Amino acid sequence: MAQVAINWVQQNYLSLIMALLIFFIGKWIANLLTKGFAKLLSKAKVEDILINFLSGIVKTLLLIFVAVAALSELGVQTTSLVALIGAAGIAVGLALKDSLQNFASGVMLIIFRPFKAGDFVEAGGASGTVERIAIFSTTMRTPDNKEIIIPNGNIYGEKIVNFSARATRRVDMVFGIGYDDDLKKAKTVLTDLINSDERILKDPAPVIAVSELGDSSVNFIVRPWVNSSDYWAVYWDTHERVKLKFDEEGISIPYPQMDVHLDKV
């Protein structure tokens, strides 16, 4: 067996040298092309994770091409090999159809950036703070510190609500008073409470108005604007302050009631 190999090398040493030159020079060129491709993506401000992934794919394809060229120089019939690689690629593609969908969605998420790490979003049937955007999935952390991993296909194929995309948000609140209470006094109390909160923005101006004459209450809408980071603090604090101030001013906050009449037969 060793003698056969030695004889083959003696008869084909020129082809062997050429094949090795093709492989090593081709590998060197493939590395240069891959680095150049990565630099182009970097200048286009593509995310690092996508640059690394696409560069890996490009490098693998180039190395396959170099290997086929080197084998062809040695006299190996590469036609059937190329067909085999193509068939394997199709089979893998069909087997990984869902994964490829997640990959494509991940690429779109990274390129178009509907959200970034640190944003609080509602996407893929879940809500939370985005911790990591990977090629196949996105990891979020819920307010109660649970980790959710969502396939990117589920995210990109549905509605995405980004609560952190804008610097400011409007806080929508509704407060009801009784029909016997002083309407103007209640509106003045609400206006003073909103204006005294330094976290509430002056522009756009807050809206305080009667929105509905309900079944058991007169309802005010209170809609101030705040910085996004202050949203929940203002929401919770305002509800507490309104309840305390209404109690102090003798303004009632009605709750649903039902009168039951029993007829004696």
Side-chain angles (χ1 to χ4, degrees):
M1 190 69 180
Q3 187 61 42
V4 172
I6 293 173
N7 292 337
W8 184 88
V9 170
Q10 289 176 345
Q11 295 173 4
N12 300 278
Y13 69 93
L14 290 178
S15 297
L16 181 59
I17 293 173
M18 287 298 299
L20 290 174
L21 288 174
I22 290 173
F23 179 77
F24 287 109
I25 294 175
K27 184 178 178 181
W28 176 70
I29 294 174
N31 288 333
L32 286 181
L33 292 176
T34 302
K35 290 180 180 179
F37 179 71
K39 287 182 179 179
L40 287 176
L41 293 179
S42 181
K43 288 181 179 179
K45 297 183 179 180
V46 177
E47 294 284 345
D48 290 341
I49 186 172
L50 185 58
I51 293 176
N52 294 334
F53 189 84
L54 293 179
S55 297
I57 292 177
V58 170
K59 184 175 182 179
T60 300
L61 292 175
L62 289 174
L63 289 178
I64 290 175
F65 176 79
V66 170
V68 169
L71 290 173
S72 178
E73 180 63 29
L74 290 175
V76 177
Q77 294 296 325
T78 57
T79 304
S80 57
L81 179 61
V82 172
L84 181 62
I85 293 174
I90 294 174
V92 170
L94 292 174
L96 300 177
K97 181 178 63 175
D98 293 337
S99 296
L100 291 176
Q101 179 186 0
N102 291 329
F103 164 72
S105 298
V107 171
M108 301 299 284
L109 289 174
I110 293 172
I111 291 176
F112 293 106
R113 300 182 184 180
F115 53 79
K116 63 183 184 300
D119 287 352
F120 188 88
V121 302
E122 178 184 321
S127 299
T129 302
V130 178
E131 289 196 328
R132 184 170 58 257
I133 306 170
I135 289 296
F136 294 100
S137 64
T138 295
T139 302
M140 293 195 297
R141 185 183 72 255
T142 63
D144 57 346
N145 207 33
K146 290 185 292 189
E147 184 177 280
I148 304 177
I149 300 175
I150 308 173
N152 287 332
N154 293 0
I155 294 177
Y156 201 74
E158 297 182 6
K159 177 180 69 175
I160 299 173
V161 181
N162 189 340
F163 297 96
S164 305
R166 300 287 184 266
T168 60
R169 287 182 63 186
R170 191 181 71 186
V171 185
D172 291 354
M173 296 172 285
V174 178
F175 299 102
I177 65 171
Y179 275 91
D180 295 331
D181 292 310
D182 189 329
L183 182 72
K184 292 183 178 180
K185 180 180 180 181
K187 186 172 183 179
T188 299
V189 168
L190 291 172
T191 302
D192 291 342
L193 286 173
I194 293 300
N195 290 337
S196 64
D197 194 331
E198 296 181 354
R199 296 168 297 182
I200 291 175
L201 304 177
K202 304 302 180 184
D203 185 24
V207 174
I208 302 173
V210 176
S211 63
E212 181 186 17
L213 301 178
D215 294 337
S216 58
S217 64
V218 179
N219 296 326
F220 284 91
I221 55 169
V222 179
R223 295 179 174 176
W225 287 83
V226 299
N227 293 321
S228 295
S229 58
D230 293 330
Y231 180 90
W232 285 112
V234 170
Y235 182 89
W236 294 323
D237 290 348
T238 302
H239 278 80
E240 180 179 343
R241 294 172 66 209
V242 167
K243 176 63 170 69
L244 294 174
K245 193 63 177 178
F246 275 11
D247 289 346
E248 182 182 326
E249 297 293 335
I251 301 173
S252 63
I253 299 178
Y255 50 88
Q257 301 182 49
M258 180 182 294
D259 294 333
V260 179
H261 302 276
L262 300 177
D263 293 333
K264 294 183 179 181
V265 180

